[in-house]
């Protein structure tokens, strides 16, 4: 998990609007989206382990990484920007009369519209997977008392894209700032950022280990009792054998264990059917 401080957004914003450093700004911008997606994937993966170990119902969240949508967004974003630069240069070289008769070829129009639609779809999907998925998980964590507070606010990717357009992309920077801030605080609260979430998993594993150890101890104790009885009765006469078994089994406080030992002795033909039934009455 990579935790970025929100001031990285401010630096990226400045670099993105300086012509010479725009490429660095764009690279940082896409890196921030990559980090948000990566943290989202890590968060969901680790919380799923917690839910699984505690037999809790995990929310209906798509586990598949939305990273492919980031690549689609980057590709469509670059196509739009290259097309914009190409169109700007072409228009700037035309005279006023030529500009009046200027018409874009159909393939360029389709390319621009297709890239715009893909950028909208991919961006909306990215925001939904980063924000909506983790908001849904946050609500589930609150229900199961893993966390107490709500930090991640619910947003819609399509609305975010629309606000980007009408604010000339200013909204994007505010959105990134709050997404980084809200998710980071939430990761600290549920322990994903610090590793504290493993305590819930370890507790479950310790309980299972203790339970298995107890079962092994009880089984071993039962086998030891059975072996002792067999050693005592294997060279004795039938009447004496019955008395020894009766004395040993009726003295046990755990009648269920005594019955299990009796069943084993009967199966191994150390006692007859009549003796077995009589002993059962006392147990």
């Amino acid at each position: 998990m990579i935790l970025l401080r929100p001031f990285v957004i401010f630096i990226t914003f400045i670099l993105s609007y300086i012509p010479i450093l725009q490429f660095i700004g764009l690279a940082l911008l896409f890196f921030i989206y990559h980090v948000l997606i990566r943290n989202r994937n890590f968060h969901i993966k680790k919380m799923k382990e917690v839910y699984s170990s505690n037999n809790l119902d995990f929310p209906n969240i798509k586990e598949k990484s939305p990273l492919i949508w980031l690549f689609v967004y980057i590709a469509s974003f670059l196509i739009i920007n290259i097309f914009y630069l190409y169109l700007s240069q072409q228009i700037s070289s035309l005279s006023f009369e030529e500009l009046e008769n200027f018409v874009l070829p159909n393939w360029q129009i389709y390319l621009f519209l297709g890239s715009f639609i893909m950028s909208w779809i991919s961006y909306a999907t990215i925001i939904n997977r980063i924000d909506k998925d983790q908001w849904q998980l946050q609500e589930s964590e609150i229900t199961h008392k893993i966390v107490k507070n709500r930090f991640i606010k619910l947003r819609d990717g399509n609305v975010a894209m629309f606000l980007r357009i009408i604010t000339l992309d200013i909204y994007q920077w505010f959105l990134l700032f709050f997404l980084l801030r809200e998710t980071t605080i939430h990761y600290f609260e549920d322990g994903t950022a610090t590793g504290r979430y493993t305590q819930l998993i370890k507790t479950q594993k310790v309980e299972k280990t203790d339970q298995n150890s107890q079962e092994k101890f009880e089984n071993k104790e039962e086998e030891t009792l059975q072996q002792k009885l067999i050693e005592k009765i294997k060279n004795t006469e039938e009447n004496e054998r019955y008395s020894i078994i009766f004395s040993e089994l009726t003295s046990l406080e755990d009648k269920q264990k005594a019955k299990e030992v009796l069943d084993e002795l009967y199966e191994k033909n150390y006692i007859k059917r009549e003796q077995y039934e009589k002993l059962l009455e006392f147990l």
Side-chain angles (χ1 to χ4, degrees), residues 226-236:
Q226 182 181 324
Q227 289 171 357
K228 285 182 179 179
L229 268 175
I230 291 172
E231 286 296 323
K232 282 185 179 181
I233 65 177
K234 66 180 180 180
N235 295 321
T236 59

Side-chain angles (χ1 to χ4, degrees), residues 78-262:
L78 291 176
I79 290 172
I80 290 173
N81 279 271
I82 292 170
F83 180 79
Y84 172 76
L85 291 173
Y86 167 76
L87 188 62
S88 299
Q89 290 177 356
Q90 196 173 9
I91 291 175
S92 62
S93 63
L94 297 175
S95 64
F96 183 75
E97 293 178 355
E98 291 174 330
L99 189 60
E100 289 181 344
N101 299 321
F102 178 74
V103 178
L104 281 173
N106 288 336
W107 71 269
Q108 291 184 6
I109 296 173
Y110 294 144
L111 178 64
F112 174 78
L113 290 176
S115 300
F116 176 76
I117 292 170
M118 287 309 300
S119 67
W120 185 301
I121 293 172
S122 56
Y123 183 79
T125 303
I126 290 169
I127 297 303
N128 286 337
R129 299 292 292 278
I130 292 172
D131 187 87
K132 273 189 175 181
D133 287 358
Q134 294 190 97
W135 176 85
Q136 188 178 349
L137 181 54
Q138 172 188 253
E139 296 304 301
S140 178
E141 289 177 26
I142 291 172
T143 301
H144 295 298
K145 298 181 180 179
I146 296 174
V147 296
K148 296 180 180 179
N149 303 304
R150 287 182 175 88
F151 293 108
I152 301 174
K153 295 180 181 178
L154 180 61
R155 300 175 181 89
D156 182 77
N158 290 304
V159 174
M161 188 63 177
F162 176 74
L163 290 174
R164 279 187 61 184
I165 293 172
I166 64 174
T167 60
L168 302 178
D169 216 30
I170 298 299
Y171 176 76
Q172 174 183 214
W173 303 104
F174 286 100
L175 177 61
L176 285 174
F177 174 85
F178 286 110
L179 279 178
L180 274 180
R181 182 175 177 273
E182 292 168 11
T183 53
T184 299
I185 295 173
H186 179 75
Y187 297 153
F188 274 102
E189 188 179 19
D190 71 2
T192 311
T194 60
R196 186 170 49 83
Y197 73 93
T198 55
Q199 294 176 3
L200 294 171
I201 301 174
K202 287 180 180 179
T203 300
Q204 188 73 5
K205 287 182 178 178
V206 168
E207 289 176 358
K208 287 182 179 178
T209 303
D210 292 343
Q211 185 178 356
N212 292 336
S213 300
Q214 180 65 22
E215 289 176 357
K216 287 179 181 178
F217 175 76
E218 290 175 355
N219 292 335
K220 189 174 181 181
E221 188 179 9
E222 185 179 318
E223 289 174 3
T224 304
L225 176 61
Q226 182 181 324
Q227 289 171 357
K228 285 182 179 179
L229 268 175
I230 291 172
E231 286 296 323
K232 282 185 179 181
I233 65 177
K234 66 180 180 180
N235 295 321
T236 59
E237 295 181 359
E238 186 176 327
N239 292 333
E240 187 179 354
R241 183 183 302 171
Y242 176 79
S243 299
I244 293 171
I245 295 172
F246 178 85
S247 175
E248 291 287 343
L249 295 185
T250 53
S251 64
L252 289 176
E253 294 182 2
D254 190 344
K255 300 305 178 185
Q256 180 62 31
K257 187 183 295 183
K259 184 179 180 303
E260 290 173 1
V261 174
L262 179 62

